[in-house]
Structure formats: C-alpha cells, structure tokens
Amino acid sequence: MYANFMAHPDMFLSITAGATAEDRIIRFVEYYLTAFHEGRKGAVAKKPYNPVLGETFHCSWEVPRDKVKPLVRSNQGPTRESGRGSNNSQQGEDSPEGSYRVRFVAEQVSHHPPVSGFYCECRERQMCVNAHVWTKSKFMGMSVGVSMVGEGVLCLLEHDEEYIFTLPCAYARSILTVPWVELGGKVSINCIKSGYSATVTFHTKPFYGGKVHR
C-alpha cells in the first residue's frame, strides 16, 4: 500500500529543514529507507489491494511540530522560522494548532498494464512528492518478481530543488507454501540542481544461508 511510504511523516517533513543541499539529500535518504519499514503486520505475504479504475484513496496525517527536526540556520544566513511563513495563516484553518498536516491521494490509473499514481504534500512546509509506478510481474519458479517501473519526484519549493528517485523490485518467495516478501535491486536518488546523488542497494537473501532484508 503506497500510503505506507508515509509511515514516518515527521522524517519526511524534516527534509526541507536541512541547512545545505548535502544535509537535505542525507535526510531524504534516511526518510526513503524508513518508507519500506512499515507494511502489513506479520511475515506472511497477502494479496495486495486492487482498486477499480477511477477509485481514489485519500488520507492525511497530523504531525506535531515538536516531532519535526527544526529548521537549521546555515552560514549563508538565517532561514525562515517554522510556522512563520506566508502560508501559515492560510493553513491555520486546516491544521490543528501545533501540528502540520500531510495530505495523500492515490489512484489506479491503468489496469493493463497496472499503473498507480500517488501524490503527497504539506503546504506549510512547501514540499510535495508525486510518483507513478507500473508493477510489472513475472514468474520465477517458486517466486514472483515485481519490477517497480517508474519514478517519483520530491519537490522542495523553498529551495527550488527536485529529487528524482526510483523504487526497488519486490519478490514473493515460496508462493506454494508459506509466502514471504523481500526487496531487491539498486535504486537511485538524484538532485540535478545540487549535483548530489545517492545509490541504495537492497540485497536479496542468498539461496543457501545469508540474512534477509539487508
């Protein structure tokens, strides 16, 4: 469920608070890794949710301001204080006092091939992320591999930065007995404006020995 990518909204909101471009991409990588931490409870894989075309899923999170890393003052000069931006009075009606509101919407935009899109934003922090994913499946003996074809873009409007990221593959193992899921493959995170990039490799469990979820 793509809403699980926002299981730690406080880390998502802290990205834009980095004083430098280097700090911001480090915070984004930290958040990116937490996006795969939350999932269905239990080790047994289950059939994913399959919405009909035109159906949308909406949810939101109220994030206490004191849970978000504060804005950092850089050597180049002060940044704006949290909650004192021009949008604060506008958003005051939508969010409880002392909280940020993060809104999320997802939609199944195609069935053949299966393509999903989702968008998430926090207007108070002037940041949003949108992504499109084609889940391309193939059988691999006792496993099913799912390639996440597509990409996402995180926009930090305050810094005029865009971070383009990809998603790992997912594998359903032991599909005829007790199925379980793991991630695998290499993903990239790039910011064209700053020139910073990151690569994350998800290691699948070896056939003999080894550990899972590395």
Side-chain angles (χ1 to χ4, degrees), residues 96-114:
E97 186 176 355
S99 297
Y100 296 111
R101 173 166 289 182
V102 178
R103 293 178 172 85
F104 177 94
V105 59
E107 181 179 0
Q108 187 83 355
V109 296
S110 172
H111 263 317
H112 300 287

Side-chain angles (χ1 to χ4, degrees), residues 61-125:
W61 294 261
E62 303 295 344
V63 185
R65 293 174 185 264
D66 58 3
K67 296 293 185 181
V68 180
K69 290 182 182 179
L71 287 171
V72 179
R73 294 182 180 277
S74 65
N75 295 331
Q76 288 77 19
T79 58
R80 64 177 178 84
E81 291 291 340
S82 173
R84 295 185 181 179
S86 58
N87 284 343
N88 190 48
S89 58
Q90 174 185 349
Q91 293 300 309
E93 299 177 1
D94 297 321
S95 304
E97 186 176 355
S99 297
Y100 296 111
R101 173 166 289 182
V102 178
R103 293 178 172 85
F104 177 94
V105 59
E107 181 179 0
Q108 187 83 355
V109 296
S110 172
H111 263 317
H112 300 287
V115 179
S116 302
F118 65 86
Y119 172 82
C120 185
E121 71 171 12
C122 179
R123 285 186 283 177
E124 291 171 285
R125 301 289 279 189

